[in-house]
Amino acid sequence: MAEGVKPRVKVPKSASAGEAVTIKTLISHQMESGQRKDSDGNVIPRSIINRFTCDFNGQNVIDVVLAPAISTNPYFEFDATVPESGEFTFTWYDDDGSTYTDTQSIEVS
Amino acid sequence: MELTRRQTLIAGIGAAAAMVLPIRAFAQDAPMVGELAEFTGGAEPGTGDITLTAPEIAENGNTVPIEVSAPGAAEIRVYALGNPVPGVAAFTFGPLAASQAASTRIRLATTQEVLAVAKLQDGSFIADRKEVKVTIGGCGG
């Protein structure tokens, strides 16, 4: 498991039904591309987050497949429709098999 | 026949150029064609309602902010044609996506073209491209 991985997500606290809300996500991660070499000339093995998904109450919002060309601390911004109050679930999948999740609830009036 | 110093030099330069040129051209195009063909099934993407927003000049190739938007797209893929690995990201939009748009930050190795290809609901493909000038490359070089 990569060290110091910390997801951060920004979701509005409330919205009206059917409104499009903007979601910003950031996760601190090295995103080692597998192209770099250390001081002895050995290739540093690839270690990235290869997939990110966002769901709202079990329904998918966005599913992103990441390649090594995504910058360190992968950042995503996108819009979601919120039909009712509920919870967003964010999941990041690491190359080493671990997953990181974060949840944020939103109040729909 | 005895080679003079001048002849040897010219032959050497010629050989070096012959080695370098096709390999560079190959490295830029060949994997790209393969990956894109895998996505589009060989179809040539047309033009349409797709927008790729990227800076004209990126000072730091390690984090270049980009935004793709293609209303009605089921999936958008982004390729950096001059990177060692051209594939950058594939966005698939679910039923609750309010707009078929997303922004992220990518790495670019050198000055190059960034390509966004969207697959529409009807299965056709559209593309947009942007040239980005990179001052410092983002591949640890």
Side-chain angles (χ1 to χ4, degrees):
Chain A
M1 168 151 173
E3 278 168 31
V5 177
K6 187 176 165 232
R8 265 169 286 181
V9 176
K10 204 170 178 185
V11 176
K13 292 257 182 317
S14 62
S16 50
E19 193 188 331
V21 294
T22 301
I23 296 172
K24 295 175 179 179
T25 72
L26 184 81
I27 185 164
S28 48
H29 193 283
Q30 202 67 44
M31 294 294 278
E32 192 57 64
S33 67
Q35 301 282 342
R36 299 198 310 154
K37 287 176 180 156
D38 63 16
S39 49
D40 301 328
N42 304 314
V43 173
I44 305 171
R46 172 183 135 151
S47 168
I48 67 166
I49 288 173
N50 55 44
R51 186 168 167 231
F52 163 69
T53 61
C54 171
D55 296 278
F56 181 72
N57 287 352
Q59 269 200 294
N60 182 248
V61 177
I62 196 169
D63 187 332
V64 188
V65 177
L66 287 75
I70 297 288
S71 299
T72 307
N73 303 342
Y75 163 84
F76 290 107
E77 181 182 335
F78 51 91
D79 299 327
T81 312
V82 280
E84 74 257 334
S85 295
E87 201 167 59
F88 281 104
T89 310
F90 305 90
T91 316
W92 290 263
Y93 299 83
D94 199 302
D95 260 355
D96 64 14
S98 46
T99 59
Y100 318 106
T101 53
D102 193 9
T103 55
Q104 294 280 326
S105 49
I106 184 167
E107 203 70 45
V108 170
S109 48
Chain B
M1 184 185 119
E2 208 162 297
L3 285 175
T4 63
R5 189 177 128 89
R6 183 169 297 177
Q7 279 172 326
T8 316
L9 270 174
I10 289 169
I13 291 166
M19 286 282 287
V20 168
L21 287 176
I23 287 173
R24 271 194 73 89
F26 196 73
Q28 294 245 330
D29 294 334
M32 184 50 222
V33 170
E35 286 197 30
L36 186 61
E38 194 188 305
F39 179 45
T40 65
E44 194 63 36
T47 53
D49 196 3
I50 176 169
T51 318
L52 170 66
T53 313
E56 216 166 279
I57 297 172
E59 276 187 15
N60 183 357
N62 265 316
T63 95
V64 183
I66 62 152
E67 185 181 351
V68 284
S69 166
E75 186 175 353
I76 302 178
R77 288 199 187 189
V78 180
Y79 299 96
L81 306 190
N83 273 8
V85 181
V88 173
F91 301 93
T92 313
F93 299 98
L96 285 183
S99 63
Q100 278 69 39
S103 351
T104 186
R105 296 172 188 153
I106 66 171
R107 289 176 176 142
L108 295 176
T110 58
T111 295
Q112 58 180 283
E113 229 172 29
V114 180
L115 174 73
V117 183
K119 183 185 189 180
L120 301 182
Q121 303 287 2
D122 62 7
S124 62
F125 294 91
I126 52 175
D128 190 17
R129 45 181 71 217
K130 275 270 151 56
E131 172 91 19
V132 180
K133 290 192 169 67
V134 176
T135 320
I136 304 167
C139 277

